[in-house]
Amino acid sequence: MNITIVGTGYVGLVTAAVFASFKNKVWALDINEKQIENLKSGKIPFYEPGLKELVLNAIEKGNLQFTSSYEQAMAETEIVFICVGTPPKDNGDYDLSYVYKSSELIAQYLNQYAVIVIKSTVPPGTNDEITKIIKSKTKIDFDLASCPEFLREGAAIEDSFHPSRIVIGTESSKAKRKLLELHKQIPGPRLLCNVKSAQLIKYAANAFLAAKISYINSIAQICEKIGADIEKVSRGLGLDPRIGDKFLKAGLGYGGSCFPKDTWALISFAKRLGYNFNFLKQVDEINKQQVDYFVNKVVRLCDGSVKNKKLAILGLSFKPDTDDMREARSILIINKLQKMGAKIFSYDPVAMTRAKTILKDVNYGDNPYDVLDKSEALLLITEWDEFKNIDFKKVRKLMKNPVVVDGRNIYDPEKLRELGFRYEGIGRKIQ
Ligand code: UDX
């Protein structure tokens, strides 16, 4: 099939590469010409395991092409995916201007019937506005659909080839047939519904997962107060198949490009409908409190003050296997500690380049030991594998003060205490 992908950000580029790998002819379009030039030579704008190989392979086979021209990308298209960003506004609302602008341009260059699929995360109902925009610009027949993505960064390729479900939302049977045909090589259950249901599934799923995380972080607070161990409690919950063991990892709370934004968006969307989504407001509030709770813990373990103390931050990205810094907990934590006068030294396996454009006055090292030298506390923020295997005997000798504050519960408390560290995790028994 001839496919056009509008937007070569995270979702667009992965979608383009995956459909091209099934021998579809894919045009990936972006108005950012520099990004398009880079992509033509196989330069991927972000870190995602396996994506570069997939893109290069598809380019080589002639199934994936990049352009900034709607005319070129739309010439023979049968299915167009809108994958442009919907960034959050300051009031928690979402900016749909890129979705509307791209819909207008798609309509302008439409040559024949096509299915126009919204993959960007948009509030249910946005399709009415998009239909209006397209109809005002073209007389050519089209159908609208929504296929939300559920990709996890760092595992996007695996998730694309083995998705938990494929949601196809459309009111048109012709569009439904085309989209089922397009997805036929991808395994997994199909869920067919109308456009609004598809869009709500995406928001509701992300908000639910965010809620699970805030729930377990609340239980972690109780654990810490009574001397219970959240790791055991979480396992005890997860063994109940009605609860499930996923997304019950206590830590610093959720970040990234989806959970915070989608939670705010659903609260704001509900408000416009006249519904006060108090439950989700609490989920968001608990997520914010988790940062203060961690910073207070650091201050306490640094004997009441971090002023002029060298703190070693391990991990900056919002989670491992990505260089994405969007809503990363590290930003909030570092800003708070810097305000208290701490000197921040940090290392991350891939996110330092991005972090340098966001964080100020941070010293970066070439490896964990670099930043730990003469430090007064180790703060584990992102659970990269590289940090799980740190040589703590060596670390003990390097550090000025043997304090470890483990924001993701990756270390063995007993082992660290035996080595002479003052260790605290999240919701773990304090001795
Ligand atoms: C998420 C959804 O999983 C995906 O389906 C959707 O399409 C996009 O948003 P992603 O943002 O890549 O994916 O990351 P995910 O692995 O879901 O983690 C989100 C955040 O929650 C991270 O900050 C992570 O550290 C945190 N998290 C996750 C926890 O704190 N505890 C957990 O148990 C799981």
Side-chain angles (χ1 to χ4, degrees), residues 31 39 41 216 353 379:
I31 49 167
L39 285 167
S41 56
I216 204 67
T353 312
L379 278 51

Side-chain angles (χ1 to χ4, degrees), residues 149-153 202 206 209 213 217 246-259 318-319 383 408:
E149 52 76 30
F150 303 97
L151 308 178
R152 289 165 304 162
E153 292 187 22
K202 167 75 188 201
N206 277 352
L209 293 170
I213 297 169
N217 282 334
K246 306 284 188 302
F247 283 76
L248 282 182
K249 188 102 191 71
L252 295 170
Y254 54 82
S257 66
C258 287
F259 287 179
F318 85 94
K319 67 171 196 179
E383 65 276 36
R408 302 287 177 181

Side-chain angles (χ1 to χ4, degrees), residues 179-228:
L179 289 170
L180 282 171
E181 167 72 16
L182 178 66
H183 289 90
K184 73 172 189 279
Q185 279 137 302
I186 306 177
R190 272 72 176 141
L191 193 135
L192 305 170
C193 55
N194 65 16
V195 174
K196 284 181 182 159
S197 305
Q199 287 164 346
L200 190 56
I201 287 169
K202 167 75 188 201
Y203 275 120
N206 277 352
F208 182 81
L209 293 170
K212 253 185 131 176
I213 297 169
S214 282
Y215 179 74
I216 204 67
N217 282 334
S218 297
I219 297 293
Q221 298 283 337
I222 307 285
C223 284
E224 208 161 291
K225 289 187 193 301
I226 62 171

Side-chain angles (χ1 to χ4, degrees), residues 88 122 127 189 245 255 257 285-286 325 366 411:
V122 297
N127 43 305
D245 61 355
S257 66
E285 188 53 36
I286 291 162
M325 290 289 294
D366 291 334
Y411 297 126

Side-chain angles (χ1 to χ4, degrees), residues 66-77:
F66 296 99
T67 182
S68 285
S69 154
Y70 272 85
E71 192 173 2
Q72 194 168 33
M74 294 290 298
E76 293 175 73
T77 199

Side-chain angles (χ1 to χ4, degrees), residues 326-396:
R326 282 176 289 180
E327 299 298 329
R329 312 272 82 192
S330 62
I331 302 173
L332 301 172
I333 291 168
I334 289 173
N335 285 343
K336 279 184 195 279
L337 290 168
Q338 281 179 329
K339 276 204 186 106
M340 295 174 178
K343 290 188 250 162
I344 304 294
F345 286 70
S346 183
Y347 169 75
D348 184 288
V350 302
M352 290 192 291
T353 312
R354 242 176 236 281
K356 283 176 191 166
T357 65
I358 299 165
L359 294 162
K360 289 199 180 70
D361 300 324
V362 172
N363 304 283
Y364 297 93
D366 291 334
N367 57 62
Y369 304 104
D370 239 15
V371 293
L372 281 160
D373 192 28
K374 299 187 188 61
S375 67
E376 304 207 33
L378 179 167
L379 278 51
L380 189 285
I381 308 287
T382 318
E383 65 276 36
W384 285 92
D385 276 346
E386 186 177 339
F387 302 145
K388 292 181 182 158
N389 305 315
I390 275 186
D391 176 354
F392 272 104
K393 280 196 184 133
K394 184 172 165 184
V395 171
R396 178 75 179 84

